[in-house]
Amino acid sequence: MQSSPPTVPLPAQTMPDMRFPPFPEPRSSSGVSGGPIIALAALVAGAVALTVIAVLGGGWPDWWLPAGLALVTVVASVALWGGFVRPARRFAAAMARMAAEDRVDLVPRARIAEFDSIAVALYRFRRIRPGRRSARPRRRFPLATAPCLVAGLVLAWALPAAVATVGGVEARTDVVVRDAGANAAAEAADLHGALRGGLEAVERAAALPTGAAVADPATTAAQVLEEQPLFRSAAVVDASGRPVATAGAPAGAEFEVPPGGPRVVQANTAGSEPIVRASAPMWDGTSAVVAEFDPRALNAVIRGPGGHTRVVDEQRATVLDDSGYTAFAPLDDPALGALAAAAAGGPPVVDTPDEGRVAAAQRVAPPGTATDLGWVLVEDQGVVAAAFAGDGNRRASLVAIVAAAFVACGALLWTAVTVIAPARRLVRHAELLATGEPVAPLAPQRLDEIGTSVEATNRLAAVRTVSPKVVAAEVRGVRRPHVQTPRAVAGT
């Protein structure tokens, strides 16, 4: 009697779960090394920039700054690759072999706490005992140890470097006083130019005839607002100040056309913000164009590299301030008030009212001009800060220090989010699998080394839970209720 051919057994340990896609390979070009590479590149760039500044400039930075950063870079590369990148890559390779051969013993215990916990959980999941070497107790380190160590080294270098760069500047009082006066004069000239430019825009619009009468005042107001970005509203008004057409934001107060031709006026001395207007009579002799300046735009004009800059009116009340202010707050500093009073009636004034501080005052517009509002610009800053602002080498060095430290620490923080946090989620997932309870597959965050480990764990769990008879029938397209074993075949 002819016997049927033997049937090959289908052990559960080698049958893949057909519900899962093929095992993916890492698709990230850098993998877990992306963040460390960016951090090291930032440190190298900072060291190179400081070296270039030291070579081209004079006096600063001292050579210990780029040399210290170069040493930090070397230590960081050794720590990140030895304690972070290589262990993650070795663990991912072991997990991939485990998924391919279905052998948990291919995953060794590790000195990285997260990877060691995953390996122990997988041993418990398959109910196998690790070898003697793997069973030895090890001193374990969290995966975040190397990134935290590098971040600490970077900050330990950056903070003293920044303090030495800013605090070590040599403050020459005569140079600081000269520079403070020049800065105040430049900012006052910029503000005067802004007021004069707004008045000229209004004059041009008022001089354009549109016929025997002003036929299209709305277009005239809109053109003024479009031409000058310093304005927030514009209007054409009649002889009594009643608006005929407006454009932009609502007016802050009632219109009053000043006599005597085009000029800039301050329409209030109290309120939540100053109202500054430029007006010019129109060619018809009965109408006028009035435009209102935006105080925020004027504040931006005086915002320069100096210290605290403010503008006060004839009552010594604050109308503009580059650092936030309450409108029309009095200038309560007696030394600054004396400087403002002196500058209002004479030439610019620069003084050191007390030790460690320099102040300058400058009238914004010449007296008697169409843009003269009686405004005085007052600038106040520390002597050390002023000396630092005038030292280009120290400013460039500080930028290099802050940029290198910020980018490096930001890259390490990004690594913690994209690598360390998913590794810890995988630890919790593997420990749940080890309890024997049914657990849904864990979705990998990225297809890097940690993502490979996640997929390997999912595949291991799927192979363990799927019946080999059902899978074999699905593969062949038929359902077979019984699978013969070699012993059954021999009995035939």
Side-chain angles (χ1 to χ4, degrees):
M1 182 173 97
Q2 186 177 5
S3 62
S4 61
T7 303
V8 178
L10 299 173
Q13 288 79 5
T14 59
M15 180 57 61
D17 182 3
M18 304 305 295
R19 297 173 297 177
F20 284 83
F23 188 76
E25 295 293 333
R27 299 177 185 176
S28 177
S29 58
S30 58
V32 297
S33 64
I37 289 175
I38 295 174
L40 295 175
L43 297 179
V44 170
V48 171
L50 290 173
T51 303
V52 171
I53 296 171
V55 171
L56 299 181
W60 195 261
D62 288 339
W63 285 105
W64 69 267
L65 284 178
L69 184 55
L71 179 61
V72 169
T73 304
V74 172
V75 175
S77 62
V78 172
L80 290 174
W81 249 253
F84 185 84
V85 176
R86 288 178 181 172
R89 289 177 175 174
R90 286 197 298 265
F91 183 75
M95 293 288 285
R97 289 196 302 270
M98 176 201 71
E101 302 181 24
D102 194 30
R103 290 178 53 192
V104 175
D105 60 314
L106 293 176
V107 181
R109 298 192 62 179
R111 293 191 180 275
I112 301 299
E114 287 82 356
F115 300 155
D116 190 64
S117 298
I118 294 170
V120 171
L122 295 180
Y123 295 157
R124 291 169 52 201
F125 174 69
R126 276 298 178 86
R127 293 181 176 84
I128 65 173
R129 292 182 179 180
R132 293 182 178 179
R133 184 177 179 182
S134 298
R136 295 176 183 175
R138 289 171 172 255
R139 179 176 296 178
R140 307 191 310 169
F141 302 95
L143 188 59
T145 300
C148 289
L149 174 63
V150 172
L153 288 175
V154 172
L155 294 178
W157 168 85
L159 293 178
V163 171
T165 301
V166 177
V169 62
E170 296 181 2
R172 294 180 52 187
T173 305
D174 56 340
V175 176
V176 171
V177 169
R178 182 195 64 196
D179 292 343
N183 289 337
E187 292 175 358
D190 291 341
L191 181 58
H192 182 218
L195 296 175
R196 186 176 61 248
L199 182 60
E200 291 173 353
V202 170
E203 289 183 278
R204 285 193 295 270
L208 293 175
T210 56
V214 181
D216 195 1
T219 301
T220 301
Q223 288 175 348
V224 172
L225 194 62
E226 181 179 358
E227 179 182 355
Q228 182 51 261
L230 291 175
F231 292 145
R232 65 179 178 184
S233 65
V236 175
V237 300
D238 57 18
S240 63
R242 185 176 60 85
V244 178
T246 60
E254 294 182 359
F255 292 102
E256 293 183 6
V257 180
R263 66 178 301 104
V264 178
V265 298
Q266 180 180 325
N268 65 335
T269 57
S272 60
E273 59 183 6
I275 299 175
V276 183
R277 290 172 175 164
S279 62
M282 297 192 72
W283 65 274
D284 61 353
T286 59
S287 304
V289 178
V290 181
E292 191 170 297
F293 286 93
D294 186 353
R296 296 172 183 80
L298 295 179
N299 274 325
V301 173
I302 65 171
R303 188 172 291 115
H308 186 190
T309 304
R310 72 199 85 182
V311 177
V312 297
D313 60 13
E314 295 177 337
Q315 287 74 35
R316 306 294 175 262
T318 304
V319 290
L320 298 175
D321 196 313
D322 67 344
S323 60
Y325 67 107
T326 300
F328 302 106
L331 187 61
D332 52 3
D333 190 322
L336 297 182
L339 286 177
V349 181
V350 183
D351 194 10
T352 52
D354 50 48
E355 185 178 357
R357 191 166 63 128
V358 61
Q362 169 88 31
R363 192 179 179 102
V364 173
T369 60
T371 54
D372 180 29
L373 301 173
W375 285 1
V376 177
L377 183 141
V378 181
E379 184 176 289
D380 179 27
Q381 60 182 323
V383 173
V384 175
F388 176 76
D391 193 331
N393 279 357
R394 289 183 179 270
R395 293 202 311 271
S397 300
L398 183 63
V399 170
I401 293 168
V402 173
F406 179 81
V407 174
C409 292
L412 295 175
L413 179 61
W414 178 69
T415 299
V417 174
T418 58
V419 177
I420 299 175
R424 292 179 177 175
R425 284 196 293 268
L426 180 57
V427 170
R428 294 191 293 269
H429 180 73
E431 290 176 346
L432 288 177
L433 287 175
T435 62
E437 299 179 1
V439 181
L442 181 65
Q445 181 172 324
R446 297 192 311 161
L447 287 179
D448 56 3
E449 287 82 352
I450 303 301
T452 297
S453 302
V454 171
E455 286 293 342
T457 304
N458 291 338
R459 185 61 52 86
L460 179 71
V463 167
R464 178 65 180 271
T465 56
V466 176
S467 170
K469 298 179 181 180
V470 174
V471 175
E474 291 178 356
V475 172
R476 295 177 175 81
V478 296
R479 291 191 172 273
R480 301 182 61 183
H482 179 67
V483 177
Q484 291 183 334
T485 65
R487 182 177 296 179
V489 173
T492 60

